[in-house]
Amino acid sequence: MRLSRYFLPVLKENPSEAQIVSHRLMLRAGMIKQQSAGIYSWLPLGFKVLRKIENIVHQEQARAGHIPMQMPTLQSADLWRESGRYDGYGEEMLRMQDRHGRDMLFSPTAEELFTDVFRAHVNSYKDLPLTLYQIQWKFRDEIRPRFGVMRGREFYMKDGYTFDLTKEDALHAYNRHLVSYLRTYERMGLQAIPMRADSGPIGGDNTHEFLVLAETGESEVFYDREITDLKFGDRQIDYDNVEQCQAVLEEFTSRYARTDETHDEALFNEVPEERRRVARGIEVGQIFYFGTKYSEAMGATVQGPDGKPGEVHMGSHGIGVSRLLGAIIEASHDENGIIWPEGVTPFHVGIVNLKQGDDEADAACDALYQSFTAAGLEPLYDDRKERAGGKFATMDLIGLPWRITVGPRGLKNGVVELTCRRTGASEELPPEQAVQKIIEIYAPHRVHVF
Amino acid sequence: MRLSRYFLPVLKENPSEAQIVSHRLMLRAGMIKQQSAGIYSWLPLGFKVLRKIENIVHQEQARAGHIPMQMPTLQSADLWRESGRYDGYGEEMLRMQDRHGRDMLFSPTAEELFTDVFRAHVNSYKDLPLTLYQIQWKFRDEIRPRFGVMRGREFYMKDGYTFDLTKEDALHAYNRHLVSYLRTYERMGLQAIPMRADSGPIGGDNTHEFLVLAETGESEVFYDREITDLKFGDRQIDYDNVEQCQAVLEEFTSRYARTDETHDEALFNEVPEERRRVARGIEVGQIFYFGTKYSEAMGATVQGPDGKPGEVHMGSHGIGVSRLLGAIIEASHDENGIIWPEGVTPFHVGIVNLKQGDDEADAACDALYQSFTAAGLEPLYDDRKERAGGKFATMDLIGLPWRITVGPRGLKNGVVELTCRRTGASEELPPEQAVQKIIEIYAPHRVHVF
């Protein structure tokens, strides 16, 4: 993309309405624009990161064998009356009537709809286990939306639902989600720690939240420092293998890690003092086994091996896709702007032309642009007639991990400058070597799709 | 995907609520489930095709230089009061109040929001031309939703908005969209004919609808038969080139082609009688130049080269993404089911094991599955213990363009059977040749993304 043809409305001033850094940086970098309280337009740069995150979630769900589909945003109130949640959900649920006076609502979550699809189409234990999920816009009418996309009203979420014949199978599905989520977050450059969560009004026994450590997090968290040494890394997991998934769960959840909602001071004090940490965290996901709550209420059963109707054990498992943009920025920025992890960066490399209009500099930038594009990478080329300082400031603000600076002086020596956003380190090297280096950096993030 | 692990709830019976073939086949093939009148869950197979179509639209928009972003589904009524459409839109607009009693609505289209983003961030003529678009869920509260996803209430649509300094530039943007849409539809295996449309209450001079010929189309169409010989094909178009885009527009719109809304009997009669055709068509897109209607009403101007505020000419351009599934099926099916064009098929090839449980047949199917997957293709392997007839019927119903049949008898001779869904033609060939053939067939449809 050439910046002269893109729509990147960066702001020079700090917007006064933003209280936390991710909100401020998303506004300043031209990623979002507020349309109403807690409702945002996703400007091109913001939308591009949103799609990258969405794609990683889809790819990791596919790896775990989960099946994508999509529910409508609007639903009939009837299903929620069946489950008993229509009256209890409160004012966070946005309700409306259609032109025929039928009660409708904007889905804040989708247990009812998925259970409805399940009971309509699944009859036999032979069709289990089954995990269906969607990534879809949800709405919760927060009384006081704040922190930009971190606590908006309209938000983009992955919600998955597991259907199993026994509690044992359902807990394997739970563990499989935990493993899959660890991989998912790491691909986005995040360390998200599973912490024991409170099951709340939805009911249920087993639930973990995934929290990203950040000073601006909304939750206070208490954990054993050893946890932060754990890496999921490149390990090959067979998602059907009960023992493998269980072992990962134990590895990542055996140490103390709780939010203020479930914190137990006495237990925490059993952790050696030098390893106890109190910090703040941002919730970016939750896994939840809740048994037969919805399947019973809505009459979802399957015929068991004995020919009799058997109960269905369910869980629901969520990732806050739009919220992740905020969490990633909270965890990865400096005083000059965002620092995108390679896995989610909107463009792979920035090209800064120090002397737009100079034939040699222009030609060198065009050649770099072509090389990256031919390699399937997306460069952002700042081809505006602006001063170098302004161009650098924009690149730093929007946070591309790598920048190539092209100027007449370097070109005389046959080199361009390659700069790492995170470390600030620069090196001079011939253009084709810079291209090769960038291609290698992104090789692990490449996927083929149709 | 192994069918035993997928969620493909095909129906044996013809659902009584479906009046047209695409609705019937989408229900029978387990692609959608109605949740309320005109509101559908997209089951896995349907969602997969929806994503393929969405991706093609994104890719072709990128090729034309248009910039993707995303608007919220819910909007404040205030913007629509500014444009003057809030009171006039009528009962098709779904309205609601949030918990604070503020008037909201579910976006049926997004001229207001895009104009609002434009006026907030674009100040100078130097930032033009600009084309922004989104693919997002919309809602229109149709009084009588019908024909499945063809006339639903919640639907997925690409809507793009062009901003230009002059009418001349805006008409180039219009032509560019026409060219881009021709390519887009052809990649989906569709011939969509641009027909002169009625500008309706939105106002404006230049507008074309794109219609796919189909017996079940909701519009009567009148056209010169020569039009159906036109192919966009592989031509390389420079989307910035005014003459090239204009020439394509003239080539594809100079012959008579109108819907009943704009039909002119006298003009039609000037077409030689043997070339006159009266048929039915399905609208799958529309392009629209409407001048300064919204920019004036909402105060969107830019500073011109002379330093004075200049007017902004706009157009809006839409593709009915969810509706396209219905249109493609209407145009491409037979008595046994859907016939997907290669560009949008949910899976690239079906593998039918004639003797599940036979070691050799199982091994051969597994090897085929691995080969396709390694080549980046998506096979659907029917690994269920069902009779061959049932497996063939399912494959025919869901419409994968190519099927490989594997059985012990063929394997003794070192061959499998490759069958084309469209023609029904089969050939026997060694497995590795069948794989190679399929890979070559899909090569033109392959794209790389991150």
Side-chain angles (χ1 to χ4, degrees):
Chain A
M1 180 60 64
R2 287 163 195 271
L3 196 43
S4 63
R5 311 193 69 163
Y6 199 49
F7 179 57
L8 183 72
V10 300
L11 307 179
K12 293 222 170 67
E13 310 290 317
N14 266 328
S16 59
E17 75 262 38
Q19 300 164 36
I20 60 169
V21 65
S22 60
H23 189 192
R24 196 157 61 234
L25 288 174
M26 288 182 78
L27 289 167
R28 283 199 55 208
M31 296 178 68
I32 52 172
K33 174 182 185 298
Q34 180 169 299
Q35 296 297 153
S36 309
I39 300 183
Y40 292 88
S41 294
W42 292 79
L43 303 181
L45 195 74
F47 176 66
K48 216 158 180 344
V49 179
L50 192 68
R51 286 282 282 192
K52 300 257 169 153
I53 291 175
E54 179 184 5
N55 283 339
I56 289 176
V57 173
H58 272 309
Q59 288 158 14
E60 292 303 326
Q61 288 296 301
R63 197 193 297 265
H66 305 160
I67 314 284
M69 51 177 288
Q70 191 147 43
M71 293 300 183
T73 64
L74 295 188
Q75 309 172 6
S76 158
D78 292 340
L79 277 181
W80 288 69
R81 293 199 175 103
E82 265 191 77
S83 74
R85 284 209 287 183
Y86 186 67
D87 293 322
Y89 210 94
E91 289 201 271
E92 280 195 11
M93 183 190 277
L94 186 71
R95 297 154 206 250
M96 69 217 67
Q97 289 194 325
D98 71 6
R99 67 191 297 172
H100 298 297
R102 283 174 295 216
D103 290 328
M104 314 271 294
L105 56 94
F106 198 119
S107 180
T109 174
E111 279 80 6
E112 282 79 358
L113 267 183
F114 276 87
T115 307
D116 181 58
V117 164
F118 180 88
R119 72 179 172 185
H121 289 302
V122 179
N123 305 308
S124 163
Y125 74 97
K126 291 179 191 162
D127 297 325
L128 303 188
L130 182 64
T131 298
L132 301 171
Y133 78 94
Q134 67 171 343
I135 303 178
Q136 178 60 299
W137 293 95
K138 311 279 192 305
F139 196 89
R140 285 184 199 160
D141 204 354
E142 299 264 357
I143 192 160
R144 200 162 67 86
R146 58 193 182 280
F147 304 152
V149 300
M150 297 267 282
R151 204 164 192 94
R153 294 197 292 168
E154 186 166 331
F155 58 97
Y156 205 43
M157 185 175 156
K158 174 260 169 183
D159 45 328
Y161 303 86
T162 57
F163 301 89
D164 287 278
L165 205 58
T166 64
K167 177 171 182 180
E168 195 182 2
D169 289 351
L171 289 179
H172 170 60
Y174 182 91
N175 297 350
R176 195 176 64 232
H177 275 82
L178 182 131
V179 176
S180 159
Y181 281 21
L182 289 170
R183 268 194 77 103
T184 301
Y185 295 122
E186 275 197 19
R187 278 191 60 186
M188 298 175 190
L190 281 180
Q191 180 171 48
I193 303 170
M195 299 196 179
R196 182 184 295 260
D198 182 15
S199 64
I202 200 175
D205 303 322
N206 293 65
T207 177
H208 283 89
E209 289 175 344
F210 289 78
L211 282 106
V212 173
L213 299 178
E215 285 167 23
T216 49
E218 77 275 44
S219 311
E220 193 166 24
V221 298
F222 305 82
Y223 62 95
D224 180 339
R225 194 210 56 76
E226 283 192 350
I227 281 182
T228 55
D229 295 335
L230 297 174
K231 293 276 175 290
F232 190 80
D234 264 348
R235 45 183 115 181
Q236 297 302 309
I237 297 284
D238 174 358
Y239 282 99
D240 291 335
N241 186 309
V242 171
E243 290 73 28
Q244 280 188 22
C245 292
Q246 176 71 25
V248 173
L249 172 103
E250 280 165 18
E251 180 183 349
F252 280 82
T253 63
S254 60
R255 293 175 187 78
Y256 190 92
R258 297 197 180 187
T259 66
D260 41 14
E261 286 182 337
T262 54
H263 180 54
D264 179 326
E265 195 68 24
L267 269 181
F268 189 48
N269 286 335
E270 290 174 16
V271 179
E273 190 171 2
E274 70 280 8
R275 282 170 25 203
R276 276 181 237 152
R277 292 290 181 278
V278 181
R280 301 202 71 82
I282 300 166
E283 192 214 319
V284 293
Q286 182 162 12
I287 52 177
F288 207 134
Y289 163 70
F290 50 71
T292 59
K293 179 177 162 74
Y294 295 99
S295 51
E296 263 184 27
M298 297 180 63
T301 58
V302 292
Q303 197 179 47
D306 56 0
K308 292 179 189 156
E311 56 186 12
V312 175
H313 289 257
M314 290 177 59
S316 68
H317 308 278
I319 292 179
V321 174
S322 50
R323 152 171 277 233
L324 270 165
L325 278 90
I328 291 169
I329 295 173
E330 291 293 334
S332 183
H333 67 273
D334 63 16
E335 65 280 12
N336 297 319
I338 303 164
I339 307 173
W340 291 116
E342 270 93 0
V344 301
T345 183
F347 295 96
H348 299 103
V349 57
I351 303 172
V352 169
N353 188 339
L354 291 179
K355 202 169 178 188
Q356 201 71 39
D358 175 88
D359 284 349
E360 268 187 77
D362 291 0
C365 287
D366 284 340
L368 284 166
Y369 190 88
Q370 296 301 334
S371 301
F372 285 123
T373 307
L377 289 164
E378 293 182 286
L380 180 67
Y381 170 23
D382 191 344
D383 59 345
R384 299 170 306 162
K385 290 208 168 173
E386 295 247 337
R387 279 190 293 181
K391 291 187 174 187
F392 290 149
T394 297
M395 285 292 178
D396 283 353
L397 175 61
I398 68 171
L400 309 188
W402 299 93
R403 186 185 82 209
I404 293 184
T405 309
V406 178
R409 201 177 313 168
L411 288 175
K412 276 215 182 77
N413 301 319
V415 295
V416 295
E417 189 183 58
L418 180 63
T419 306
C420 173
R421 172 73 181 85
R422 189 172 295 279
T423 64
S426 286
E427 58 178 325
E428 296 198 324
L429 64 186
E432 51 284 6
Q433 277 182 36
V435 170
Q436 201 47 47
K437 185 159 176 178
I438 296 290
I439 289 174
E440 280 160 26
I441 285 165
Y442 283 104
H445 298 283
R446 187 181 288 267
V447 288
H448 290 189
V449 298
F450 275 87
Chain B
M1 180 60 64
R2 286 164 197 271
L3 196 42
S4 63
R5 311 193 69 162
Y6 200 49
F7 179 57
L8 183 72
V10 301
L11 306 179
K12 293 222 170 66
E13 310 290 318
N14 267 327
S16 58
E17 74 261 38
Q19 299 166 36
I20 61 171
V21 67
S22 60
H23 189 192
R24 196 158 59 233
L25 287 174
M26 288 183 77
L27 290 167
R28 283 199 54 209
M31 296 178 68
I32 52 172
K33 175 183 184 298
Q34 179 170 301
Q35 296 296 153
S36 309
I39 301 182
Y40 292 88
S41 294
W42 293 78
L43 303 181
L45 196 74
F47 176 66
K48 215 158 179 352
V49 180
L50 191 68
R51 286 282 284 192
K52 301 255 169 151
I53 291 176
E54 178 185 5
N55 284 339
I56 290 176
V57 174
H58 273 308
Q59 289 156 15
E60 293 304 326
Q61 289 296 301
R63 196 193 298 265
H66 305 161
I67 314 284
M69 52 179 288
Q70 189 147 43
M71 293 301 184
T73 63
L74 295 188
Q75 310 172 6
S76 159
D78 293 341
L79 277 180
W80 288 68
R81 293 197 175 104
E82 266 191 77
S83 73
R85 284 208 287 182
Y86 186 66
D87 292 324
Y89 209 96
E91 289 201 89
E92 280 196 12
M93 183 191 278
L94 186 71
R95 298 155 205 249
M96 68 217 68
Q97 290 194 324
D98 71 7
R99 67 190 296 171
H100 298 298
R102 285 175 296 218
D103 289 330
M104 315 271 294
L105 56 94
F106 199 118
S107 181
T109 174
E111 280 79 7
E112 283 79 359
L113 267 183
F114 276 88
T115 308
D116 181 58
V117 164
F118 181 88
R119 72 180 172 184
H121 290 303
V122 180
N123 305 307
S124 163
Y125 74 97
K126 292 180 192 161
D127 297 326
L128 302 188
L130 182 64
T131 298
L132 301 171
Y133 78 95
Q134 68 171 344
I135 303 178
Q136 178 60 300
W137 293 96
K138 311 279 192 305
F139 196 90
R140 286 184 200 159
D141 204 354
E142 300 265 357
I143 191 160
R144 200 162 66 87
R146 57 193 183 281
F147 304 153
V149 300
M150 298 267 282
R151 205 166 192 93
R153 294 198 291 168
E154 186 166 331
F155 58 98
Y156 205 42
M157 185 177 155
K158 175 261 168 182
D159 45 327
Y161 303 86
T162 58
F163 301 90
D164 286 278
L165 206 58
T166 64
K167 178 171 182 179
E168 197 182 2
D169 289 352
L171 289 180
H172 170 60
Y174 182 92
N175 297 350
R176 195 176 63 233
H177 275 82
L178 182 131
V179 176
S180 157
Y181 281 20
L182 289 170
R183 269 193 77 103
T184 302
Y185 295 122
E186 274 197 19
R187 279 191 59 187
M188 298 175 191
L190 280 180
Q191 180 170 47
I193 303 170
M195 299 195 179
R196 183 183 294 260
D198 182 16
S199 65
I202 200 176
D205 302 323
N206 293 64
T207 177
H208 282 90
E209 289 175 342
F210 288 78
L211 283 107
V212 173
L213 299 177
E215 284 167 25
T216 50
E218 77 275 44
S219 312
E220 192 166 24
V221 298
F222 306 82
Y223 63 96
D224 179 341
R225 195 211 53 78
E226 283 190 350
I227 281 181
T228 54
D229 295 335
L230 297 173
K231 293 275 175 289
F232 189 81
D234 264 349
R235 45 182 115 182
Q236 296 304 309
I237 298 285
D238 174 359
Y239 282 100
D240 291 335
N241 187 308
V242 171
E243 290 73 26
Q244 279 187 25
C245 291
Q246 176 70 27
V248 173
L249 173 103
E250 281 166 18
E251 179 183 351
F252 281 81
T253 64
S254 60
R255 291 175 189 79
Y256 190 93
R258 297 197 179 187
T259 66
D260 40 14
E261 287 183 337
T262 54
H263 180 54
D264 180 326
E265 195 67 25
L267 269 181
F268 189 48
N269 285 336
E270 290 175 15
V271 178
E273 189 171 5
E274 71 280 8
R275 283 170 25 202
R276 274 180 238 153
R277 292 290 182 278
V278 181
R280 300 201 73 82
I282 300 167
E283 191 215 319
V284 292
Q286 183 163 12
I287 52 177
F288 207 134
Y289 163 70
F290 50 71
T292 60
K293 179 177 162 75
Y294 295 98
S295 51
E296 264 184 27
M298 297 180 63
T301 58
V302 292
Q303 199 180 46
D306 56 3
K308 291 181 189 155
E311 56 187 13
V312 175
H313 289 257
M314 289 177 59
S316 67
H317 309 278
I319 292 180
V321 174
S322 49
R323 154 172 276 234
L324 270 164
L325 277 90
I328 292 169
I329 295 172
E330 291 292 336
S332 183
H333 67 272
D334 63 16
E335 66 281 12
N336 296 319
I338 302 164
I339 306 173
W340 291 116
E342 270 93 0
V344 301
T345 183
F347 295 95
H348 299 104
V349 56
I351 304 172
V352 169
N353 188 340
L354 291 178
K355 201 169 178 188
Q356 202 71 40
D358 175 89
D359 285 348
E360 268 188 76
D362 291 0
C365 288
D366 283 340
L368 285 166
Y369 190 88
Q370 295 300 334
S371 301
F372 286 124
T373 307
L377 289 164
E378 294 182 285
L380 180 68
Y381 170 21
D382 192 343
D383 59 344
R384 297 170 306 163
K385 290 208 171 174
E386 296 246 339
R387 279 189 294 180
K391 291 187 175 187
F392 291 149
T394 297
M395 286 291 178
D396 283 353
L397 174 62
I398 68 171
L400 310 188
W402 298 93
R403 186 185 80 210
I404 294 186
T405 309
V406 179
R409 202 178 313 167
L411 289 176
K412 277 216 182 77
N413 301 319
V415 295
V416 296
E417 189 184 58
L418 179 64
T419 307
C420 173
R421 173 71 181 84
R422 189 171 296 279
T423 65
S426 287
E427 58 178 325
E428 297 198 321
L429 65 185
E432 51 284 5
Q433 279 182 35
V435 170
Q436 201 48 46
K437 185 159 178 180
I438 296 289
I439 289 173
E440 280 160 25
I441 286 166
Y442 284 104
H445 300 282
R446 188 180 289 264
V447 289
H448 291 189
V449 298
F450 276 86

